[in-house]
Amino acid sequence: MRKILDAALAEFGERGFGESSIVGITTRAKVALGTFYTYFDSKEAVFAALVRDMSGQVRDYVAPVFAEATDALDGERRALAAYLRFVVDRKEVYRIIDEAEFVDPEGFRTHYETAAARIAGRLREGAQNGEIRDDGELANEVRAWAMMGINVFLGLRFGVWGREDADAVAEHANTMLRDGLKA
């Protein structure tokens, strides 16, 4: 199944959902058409599985960086830098997630909701540890979604459109989170 998902990533990433085909995926994977249908019923099914897989890959790639964090915001800086490095090597993730809004709306929503929930959990823990303000659960959720938006658009600008030093970009974003925009 891994070969098929990797081939689907390449196929959908290069051609988009509409122009991709099961034959294109199986050709890239170097597997028989029947092998595809052992795991997936349709092009839509492999796309949905790919969205879940990409979400899991981002989570698994970023998760280990928290072990060395000095506090909650340092963890977020490290997470953003890791995410940017992930995107540089897997630019097609943006096209796939964007198309998921229309091809797999439930997967699209789940991708963002679970990412925001992970960030909110980290912020909640940081507040419990006295590392960041605790302004209540609504504020925590707003911050999580805002931080995710920062990550997504910095990934687009500095990971997909132009490669910059991931640590430097993450440091600038982290300074904004720590200090706000005050003079």
Side-chain angles (χ1 to χ4, degrees), residues 45-157:
V46 72
F47 187 90
L50 183 60
V51 170
R52 289 189 307 275
D53 183 64
M54 292 303 301
S55 289
Q57 283 188 42
V58 170
R59 178 198 63 228
D60 295 346
Y61 189 87
V62 170
V65 304
F66 291 101
E68 296 179 14
T70 58
D71 62 26
L73 289 177
D74 182 55
E76 294 306 318
R77 178 189 59 77
R78 290 171 185 266
L80 174 56
Y83 175 71
L84 292 172
R85 286 189 288 275
F86 178 89
V87 170
V88 164
D89 294 334
R90 297 166 190 84
K91 292 174 175 52
E92 55 277 329
V93 70
Y94 270 80
R95 182 174 196 168
I96 290 162
I97 295 300
D98 283 350
E99 287 191 332
E101 182 178 7
F102 306 102
V103 177
D104 180 25
E106 185 177 325
F108 176 79
R109 184 172 178 159
T110 298
H111 167 74
Y112 284 115
E113 286 177 339
T114 57
R118 284 193 302 273
I119 296 169
R122 296 191 305 256
L123 293 175
R124 196 175 302 108
E125 184 178 328
Q128 290 168 352
N129 293 338
E131 298 165 350
I132 58 174
R133 283 195 328 257
D134 183 354
D135 293 332
E137 199 51 38
L138 177 60
N140 192 51
E141 184 177 1
V142 168
R143 290 172 183 156
W145 280 88
M147 289 169 65
M148 183 173 53
I150 290 168
N151 295 350
V152 166
F153 281 98
L154 289 177
L156 181 63
R157 166 57 184 90

Side-chain angles (χ1 to χ4, degrees), residues 158-170:
F158 295 107
V160 176
W161 292 346
R163 187 175 183 171
E164 299 289 331
D165 176 34
D167 290 317
V169 172

Side-chain angles (χ1 to χ4, degrees), residues 13-55:
E14 182 182 311
R15 301 179 55 144
F17 181 81
E19 297 298 317
S20 293
S21 68
I22 293 170
V23 170
I25 293 167
T26 57
T27 300
R28 286 176 190 261
K30 298 182 175 137
V31 300
L33 199 55
T35 303
F36 176 91
Y37 286 108
T38 298
Y39 297 103
F40 305 105
D41 295 336
S42 64
K43 184 169 81 166
E44 290 80 7
V46 72
F47 187 90
L50 183 60
V51 170
R52 289 189 307 275
D53 183 64
M54 292 303 301
S55 289

